[in-house]
Amino acid sequence: MGTDTSPLDYSAIDRTVASLLHDLLRFVADGRRSYVEVMDAWRTSCPRLPIWEEATERGLLMRARDESGVSVVRITAAGRAFLLDGCTDSDLPERRLGANG
């Protein structure tokens, strides 16, 4: 019933989306980022590549409030696992993208 879209299910995402997810996660992981900063940096005019939605639906990023009440974006454990698994634009293993063999 439905497609498995767990955070590390590379068969459900293509190379371009995986690469953009990796870039977004690294951007957030590199330092404290406000929600406004993330939205400004990752705004897209292409409705076919909703990277923010993809990252949040897969549980790779989350919104929270810091101690002063500012909305911030944080990388989750699943997001860190995605980064640590080596999912980059230059070395995505074909087997993870659903290729046979």
Side-chain angles (χ1 to χ4, degrees):
M1 279 204 216
T3 303
D4 179 10
T5 58
S6 63
L8 300 177
D9 179 16
Y10 298 112
S11 64
I13 56 178
D14 70 18
R15 184 176 301 274
T16 301
V17 172
S19 175
L20 290 170
L21 281 171
H22 183 268
D23 290 347
L24 173 58
L25 293 173
R26 283 191 49 188
F27 176 76
V28 172
D30 282 346
R32 181 185 157 132
R33 305 287 185 185
S34 72
Y35 176 76
V36 171
E37 181 182 7
V38 173
M39 290 299 104
D40 283 346
W42 285 89
R43 202 175 322 189
T44 179
S45 60
C46 180
R48 299 186 77 179
L49 292 175
I51 298 306
W52 167 257
E53 289 83 2
E54 186 78 26
T56 56
E57 286 175 14
R58 290 177 175 277
L60 304 174
L61 293 174
M62 62 177 272
R63 278 179 70 178
R65 297 240 178 238
D66 69 9
E67 57 283 346
S68 64
V70 173
S71 183
V72 295
V73 177
R74 295 194 175 122
I75 191 167
T76 64
R80 289 195 188 285
F82 188 91
L83 288 177
L84 291 174
D85 200 43
C87 184
T88 66
D89 58 346
S90 62
D91 66 359
L92 276 171
E94 291 299 325
R95 62 184 163 74
R96 291 189 185 155
L97 294 173
N100 293 337

